[in-house]
Amino acid sequence: MSLLATTPPSLPLPPDPREAPALRWGILGAGGIAGTFARDVPARSAQRVVAVGSRSADKGAAFAASHGIERVHGSYEELVADPDVDAVYVATPHSHHRDHAVLALEAGKHVLVEKAFTRSAAEAREVLAVAERQGLFAMEAMWTRFLPHTVALRAVVDSGALGEICTVTADHGQRLDHVERLFAPELAGGALLDLGVYDVSFAHLLLGAPAGVRATGVLTDRGVDLQEAVVLTYDGEHERALAVCTASMWTASATGASVVGTEGRIDVAGPFYGSTSFVVTPRGGEAWQWPPAELAGHRYGFEYEAAEVARCVSAGRQQSDVMPWSATLEVMGTMDEVRRQLGVVYPGE
């Protein structure tokens, strides 16, 4: 692949989510991110959201009415027992992901679990052990990995066109002081699990698991992380590379990312974790932007990850090649070490 061009080369796109087999989805939890899933997925794919479970009858009924969902269950137990539900999207706070994912798996349902997958790598291993025992599919809902710009960006990096990767940076800051759960240790609050997980997963996608982690940050008076800066180091083929990840729930940042190599760089427009564009600047050549004109302005959402679940379930697979269990465990392990260095401990750990 030549980067010495004023127009982008032909780059791969993810499979069309409208062509994936249809699953019947139940949504566990009726919060904001569940609403995004309920809105985007049926509108842009063959997937159907047929039920929602909420511990608040009024909240569940309002959610279902807003999104045209057929059935409302007054408990999570009722939702996972619904015979018309094939897969469950777990959209509760991080503190409850392990228990709710296990609840669904034990009921025979495939699961897509919001990121961060759990509070810790130990909890993630518990969930995946149940999925393996039950012969069911499980995946972390890291939607960024499935989006068109990420697929195209990874193709550029994998081609070797950037040369040796030297630095990966990712920044995710939002002013979220109005979101009470993020300041609650009992709900696994803090910037890292909500925002920094995107940074760490982006670095992992390109460089794999780090050999070293160095973290510094600022904690709230309740002991959760307000913001942090993390430097990751590597061995093997990336032994000279660094990744720098910053996250904050106290201030809004540009939310950009970059991949810098010896032969060029990629700058990803913010928010790097959502549907976006990037610019490739080759060493000694002219910069070009992706996406090409025919894709510009089109927005993408959670339908890509939901379609991946459907394809894998249809093929009898328990995990995705794009977001495999090993990646989830390695990202969770990295964040465990960040929390250890920052001194963030959740109740019960």
Side-chain angles (χ1 to χ4, degrees), residues 73-109:
H73 294 289
S75 73
Y76 300 146
E77 291 78 10
E78 290 178 10
L79 173 71
V80 301
D82 189 329
D84 292 327
V85 170
D86 302 313
V88 170
Y89 171 60
V90 176
T92 47
H94 309 120
S95 52
H96 294 71
H97 284 182
R98 174 190 58 185
D99 293 347
H100 293 157
V102 168
L103 179 72
L105 290 163
E106 293 283 15
K109 309 301 184 186

Side-chain angles (χ1 to χ4, degrees), residues 172-192:
H172 192 175
Q174 296 188 44
R175 184 69 185 261
L176 297 174
D177 51 310
H178 60 287
V179 182
E180 292 183 8
R181 69 169 178 85
L182 291 177
F183 290 79
E186 66 273 17
L187 296 179
L192 181 65

Side-chain angles (χ1 to χ4, degrees), residues 160-232:
L162 297 184
E164 180 183 354
I165 301 303
C166 304
T167 310
V168 172
T169 64
D171 165 53
H172 192 175
Q174 296 188 44
R175 184 69 185 261
L176 297 174
D177 51 310
H178 60 287
V179 182
E180 292 183 8
R181 69 169 178 85
L182 291 177
F183 290 79
E186 66 273 17
L187 296 179
L192 181 65
L193 295 194
D194 227 74
L195 308 176
V197 62
Y198 286 103
D199 303 345
V200 175
S201 190
F202 182 75
H204 183 279
L205 175 70
L206 300 171
L207 297 172
V213 178
R214 297 179 186 177
T216 187
V218 178
L219 306 187
T220 70
D221 57 4
R222 298 186 63 188
V224 299
D225 52 302
L226 187 67
Q227 57 184 2
E228 57 264 330
V230 180
V231 178
L232 306 175

Side-chain angles (χ1 to χ4, degrees), residues 37 119 144 234 257-258 324 332:
F37 188 93
R119 296 189 305 174
T144 306
Y234 301 84
S258 66
M332 292 305 312

